[in-house]
Amino acid sequence: MKIVDIKVTPIVVPLKKTFKGSKYQMSSRATLITRLLTDEGVMGTTYNGDEVHTQNIIARIITDEILPLIQGKDPSRPEAIWELMKPLTFDILRDRRLVIMAMSAVDSACWDVVGKCARLPLSRLWGGYRDSLPIIAIGGYYGLTHAELAAEVEDYIAMGIGGCKMKIGGASPAVDAERFMAMRKAGGEDFILMADANQGYTQAEALEFAARVADGKPRWLEEPVRWDNARNDLRDVRLRTGIPVTAGQSETGRADARDLMAAGAIDVCNFDASWSGGPTEWLRVAGCAASYGVQMAHHEEPQIAAHLLAAFAHGTYLECFHPDRDPIFWNLLASRGECKNGIYVVPTGPGLGIELNEDYVAKYAVNA
């Protein structure tokens, strides 16, 4: 089998409102659809990322730089393809992260080809530990009253989603703690509730927040401290609070994730296959995490994360968004796994099992 061509389609969907986290805000949702064509008619199909302002650059890296390197190569050898792409990251004068995201999309498409050739879902090929996962939403954005936060929790429960990773770090620890406890009260003790600061707090603020919500039993604190001394501060927050700490989505590769684990900085690694090298790199990190006794999560991307997390015993929760925050997941896919009583059933189609709603693609496609 040989790679013949790669077609890339960026799409951007306006959101109904602006969603505000600790130090950022989003008014649209974007992704990059990648179709890898082969001479045997098998097509690798994936969509990756949420890059509104750089997706055209990533698309051109795929078509103009990666394709010439791998055209005519066998896509059923993802490790070999990955190594052919890697030299594009060696230029120190460019934004290496954009190249890695381009590699991630191509790597995901190659793995989809592998699954389709084997006629198995990738969750089975990667380990097959389970066929379903607990599912949580990313929510609790700023600008909502306590009553509105409670109503959001009720929406998730009605949707069959069993928890929420709510946003903190954009207000004082005292205010954020009140918001957290409002969601805890609405969901009850069985509702899984995490807090995600997106690197918005100082260490002292993270410690204060943790003390204020201890009775609310947060499942974990995610990226609770700022980036500039993150590894040491994550470790100290973890050890001083006794609350599990999650990070890894901001790391660009396996060595960065390994260093978090070696430093005792995290309990859960939420490495992102779409941001940091594709499933090939995520699998390497998962192996490393098993050695350190660290659990694996995945930052967003349920269309890929479901297969990765279900493959291993140390996988945790599948993450999604409310349909208002991520209309792409809820509308781009022609079929998804069933979501009920806090459990998401992993798609059983071959490969990633992605079937696109082509009408939706046509409506929101933009020029690469």
Side-chain angles (χ1 to χ4, degrees):
M1 182 183 296
K2 296 179 180 179
I3 296 171
V4 174
D5 199 4
I6 303 177
K7 304 293 184 183
V8 183
T9 307
I11 68 172
V12 178
V13 182
L15 301 179
K16 295 180 179 179
K17 65 177 183 178
T18 298
F19 289 81
K20 296 181 180 180
S22 59
K23 310 296 180 184
Y24 68 95
Q25 59 185 33
M26 302 288 290
S27 57
S28 60
R29 183 75 175 168
T31 198
L32 204 65
I33 298 170
T34 303
R35 295 178 174 94
L36 187 147
L37 312 178
T38 71
D39 63 342
E40 294 187 11
V42 180
M43 182 168 66
T45 303
T46 181
Y47 73 90
N48 299 76
D50 182 22
E51 310 308 311
V52 177
H53 303 296
T54 58
Q55 62 176 189
N56 286 352
I57 300 173
I58 298 168
R60 287 194 294 272
I61 293 172
I62 293 172
T63 57
D64 298 352
E65 299 183 58
I66 291 178
L67 179 59
L69 294 176
I70 65 174
Q71 201 164 27
K73 302 301 182 182
D74 187 348
S76 68
R77 299 176 180 270
E79 283 277 352
I81 298 296
W82 203 91
E83 290 298 325
L84 287 171
M85 297 187 289
K86 184 179 178 181
L88 293 176
T89 67
F90 296 164
D91 184 348
I92 63 171
L93 299 181
R94 74 189 306 182
D95 187 343
R96 183 176 292 119
R97 189 64 180 263
L98 297 179
V99 179
I100 293 173
M101 286 189 281
M103 291 173 58
S104 300
V106 175
D107 185 65
S108 301
C110 286
W111 275 110
D112 189 51
V113 169
V114 172
K116 286 174 176 174
C117 289
R119 299 181 181 178
L120 287 172
L122 285 172
S123 60
R124 295 288 183 90
L125 286 176
W126 287 331
Y129 180 74
R130 65 187 118 185
D131 296 319
S132 61
L133 290 159
I135 183 170
I136 62 168
I138 303 171
Y141 286 88
Y142 285 98
L144 300 179
T145 66
H146 290 185
E148 289 170 331
L149 289 170
E152 183 178 324
V153 170
E154 293 169 0
D155 281 350
Y156 293 141
I157 294 172
M159 292 169 63
I161 295 170
C164 178
K165 191 170 76 176
M166 56 105 42
K167 296 302 180 181
I168 61 169
S172 70
V175 169
D176 281 343
E178 291 175 355
R179 295 170 58 248
F180 181 93
M181 296 305 288
M183 296 189 82
R184 167 55 73 214
K185 182 179 179 181
E189 292 185 0
D190 293 334
F191 189 76
I192 303 160
L193 193 59
M194 300 87 158
D196 183 2
N198 291 113
Q199 305 179 355
Y201 281 154
T202 64
Q203 184 192 128
E205 289 169 334
L207 292 172
E208 180 185 344
F209 173 82
R212 289 178 178 273
V213 300
D215 290 343
K217 298 179 180 179
R219 172 62 178 84
W220 68 51
L221 303 178
E222 186 165 321
E223 291 194 327
V225 294
R226 293 180 183 154
W227 67 271
D228 49 355
N229 192 38
R231 195 181 306 161
N232 289 340
D233 286 345
L234 288 169
R235 177 201 61 205
D236 291 349
V237 169
R238 174 177 178 257
L239 295 178
R240 292 177 66 178
T241 66
I243 299 172
V245 166
T246 298
Q249 71 182 59
S250 299
E251 313 312 313
T252 57
R254 79 197 85 142
D256 294 335
R258 174 208 62 205
D259 290 349
L260 287 174
M261 300 175 202
I266 56 174
D267 299 275
V268 185
C269 181
N270 68 333
F271 198 70
D272 188 322
S274 291
W275 278 2
S276 304
T280 293
E281 189 77 341
W282 194 96
L283 294 168
R284 295 164 177 158
V285 172
C288 183
S291 299
Y292 279 97
V294 168
Q295 292 183 300
M296 286 300 295
H298 192 291
H299 171 248
E300 305 180 16
E301 303 287 81
Q303 74 282 358
I304 295 172
H307 292 277
L308 291 165
L309 294 169
F312 298 98
H314 60 310
T316 55
Y317 306 95
L318 185 68
E319 298 181 0
C320 69
F321 288 102
H322 190 281
D324 288 347
R325 173 66 176 86
D326 182 13
I328 290 177
F329 176 65
W330 299 102
N331 294 283
L332 178 62
L333 297 177
S335 61
R336 289 183 308 277
E338 181 185 11
C339 181
K340 187 177 181 180
N341 297 326
I343 299 296
Y344 181 84
V345 178
V346 180
T348 57
L352 291 169
I354 291 176
E355 298 178 26
L356 298 175
N357 178 345
E358 296 295 348
D359 290 338
Y360 195 79
V361 174
K363 181 177 181 179
Y364 292 107
V366 297
N367 293 326

